[in-house]
Amino acid sequence: MRKFLATAAIMACTISSTAFFTISSASAADMAPRYKAPPPILAPVWSWTGFYAGLHAGGGWSDSSITQRNDLFPGFDTASFGNGNQAGVVGGGQIGYNWQFAPNWLLGIEGDISGTGIRNNNTRPITTGGAPIGPFGFNHVADQNVNWLASIRGRLGWVWDRWLIYGTGGGAFGGVDYRTDYTG
C-alpha cells in the first residue's frame, strides 16, 4: 500500500506541476485581442468669424441731366445736354471682418474700393436765339468721369449653418471729375 500511496503522490505532484507549467506558460500574445471602436468623427462646427478679402468686377452706369448756362455772355442760350447716360466697367476689391456670437448672431464691417470706366462726353453748339453762332462751330463741351467708388459698411445678421441673412449700412464715396469748356 505504501507503494501505491507513493505512486499516487508522485503522480499527483507530476499532474500539479504539469498543470502549473501549462498554465504559467500561457502569455498575452496567445490571448484573443480586444479591439475598441474608434471614437466617432464629429462634423466640424461652421463659423462665420474671421477676416476675408476678395475681388469684384462688373458694370456700372450713371444717369444725369446736364444744363450749362453762360453767365459771361447773357445773349447766349442755355445749353442743355439732355440725358447724360454713361456706362462702363467697374472693378476693385473688398476686405472685412465678421464676428459670430450668441450662437446665431453676426456683427461685421466691410470696406471696398473700385476703379471705374464710367465716362460721358457731350458737345452742343453755342446758340443765341436758337441759331448757332458763326460758321466756325462754337461749342459747349461737357465731360463727366466717375473715376472711383468706395464704401465702408457695418453688418448685422442672423446665421443658420452656412446661411447668413443680414442687413448692412454705411457711407459711400466717389471721385467724379466734371469739366465744361467752350471750343471753336
Side-chain angles (χ1 to χ4, degrees):
M1 174 115 158
R2 272 186 181 191
K3 270 189 170 186
F4 177 71
L5 284 176
T7 305
I10 291 173
M11 284 185 73
C13 285
T14 305
I15 291 172
S16 67
S17 67
T18 305
F20 174 74
F21 288 118
T22 303
I23 291 172
S24 66
S25 67
S27 66
D30 295 335
M31 296 176 67
R34 287 188 169 184
Y35 293 107
K36 273 187 162 182
I41 298 173
L42 300 176
V45 177
W46 181 263
S47 175
W48 287 84
T49 297
F51 286 99
Y52 62 92
L55 300 173
H56 59 265
W61 69 92
S62 172
D63 184 14
S64 60
S65 179
I66 301 168
T67 302
Q68 183 177 5
R69 291 185 351 192
N70 188 344
D71 292 335
L72 295 175
F73 303 103
F76 292 164
D77 296 334
T78 300
S80 176
F81 293 94
N83 196 353
N85 289 334
Q86 49 193 339
V89 175
V90 177
Q94 67 272 354
I95 187 167
Y97 181 79
N98 288 326
W99 175 53
Q100 184 177 338
F101 64 98
N104 293 83
W105 287 97
L106 179 128
L107 281 176
I109 187 165
E110 178 176 276
D112 65 70
I113 189 161
S114 303
T116 80
I118 302 172
R119 310 277 186 261
N120 191 14
N121 181 298
N122 284 303
T123 302
R124 296 289 184 266
I126 297 175
T127 60
T128 183
I133 296 177
F136 304 111
F138 293 106
N139 294 311
H140 291 277
V141 177
D143 293 323
Q144 185 175 3
N145 300 322
V146 179
N147 297 315
W148 59 271
L149 302 169
S151 69
I152 186 157
R153 300 176 307 282
R155 172 181 298 136
L156 177 63
W158 177 259
V159 172
W160 181 57
D161 191 38
R162 287 175 170 76
W163 291 86
L164 171 62
I165 299 169
Y166 67 93
T168 184
F173 315 94
V176 179
D177 290 333
Y178 183 75
R179 178 183 72 91
T180 61
D181 204 354
Y182 299 104
T183 61

